[in-house]
Amino acid sequence: MAVERTLSIIKPDAVAKNVVGQIYARFEAAGLKVVAAKMKHLSRAEAEGFYAVHRERPFFKDLVDFMVSGPVMIQVLEGESAVLKNRELMGATDPKKADKGTIRADFADSIDANAVHGSDSAENAAIEVAYFFPSSEVYSR
Ligand code: RTP
Ligand code: MG
């Protein structure tokens, strides 16, 4: 297995619920290290740019509206198979379909307000990490 990095975002719903620490605890328990982090209230342009692959999808406007509705917590996670491990911790996109014990099953309310984002491939992870963090702000350990 290879050590990877992945981009994680704790979305506005979960920040508002004050469960940032509980979500970080799950990353740590799974062996993922936080190697960069910041809280940020995204502008529309930042949210649209981040989710640009979904620009033509019917849910794009709702997604952007939601992502700019409050501050988010953005972090880079590092560890063995970090991309897949984080996706497993997150659970399915729709919390109603997410396995018991996953972040989305436990903290998300709907497919829009679904608590977390995680990169879906190592290739996209590299792009997404660079979108929010210059390499000087990622502290590999
Ligand atoms: P994310 O990118 O946020 O980690 O979520 P994901 O990979 O599990 O899902 P993705 O297909 O990338 O979709 C991005 C976000 O758009 C919203 N969505 N709504 N109404 C719908 O059918 C629908 N499908 C997706 C979700 O909030 C999803 O997290
Ligand atoms: Mg996605």
Side-chain angles (χ1 to χ4, degrees):
M1 282 199 299
V3 173
E4 292 176 337
R5 289 179 182 169
T6 191
L7 188 87
S8 161
I9 301 178
I10 301 178
K11 295 185 180 185
D13 58 322
V15 171
K17 278 184 185 173
N18 200 28
V19 293
V20 168
Q22 291 186 62
I23 293 173
Y24 268 46
R26 293 179 183 216
F27 298 150
E28 292 171 358
L32 295 175
K33 293 176 178 175
V34 176
V35 295
K38 65 181 152 201
M39 185 173 273
K40 198 168 199 291
H41 196 145
L42 300 179
S43 67
R44 262 201 110 70
E46 283 170 330
E48 287 174 355
F50 182 74
Y51 278 119
V53 292
H54 294 312
R55 199 174 291 276
E56 304 305 326
R57 308 283 283 279
F59 57 79
F60 183 69
K61 185 178 177 297
D62 286 345
L63 173 59
V64 171
D65 286 347
F66 175 65
M67 290 301 288
V68 303
S69 67
V72 297
M73 190 75 197
I74 311 170
Q75 44 283 326
V76 179
L77 306 177
E78 188 178 82
E80 296 283 345
S81 305
V83 172
L84 181 62
K85 203 176 265 184
N86 182 44
R87 297 288 302 193
E88 287 172 355
L89 292 174
M90 289 163 59
T93 308
D94 181 351
K96 291 199 289 286
K97 297 179 183 158
D99 287 343
K100 230 177 137 217
T102 60
I103 293 168
R104 282 168 166 164
D106 291 347
F107 300 118
D109 296 321
S110 68
I111 195 165
D112 294 307
N114 65 357
V116 279
H117 162 83
S119 307
D120 59 11
S121 68
E123 188 187 3
N124 284 336
I127 294 166
E128 292 180 357
V129 168
Y131 191 81
F132 286 117
F133 297 98
S135 54
S136 62
E137 291 180 9
V138 182
Y139 298 92
S140 193
R141 21 195 206 111

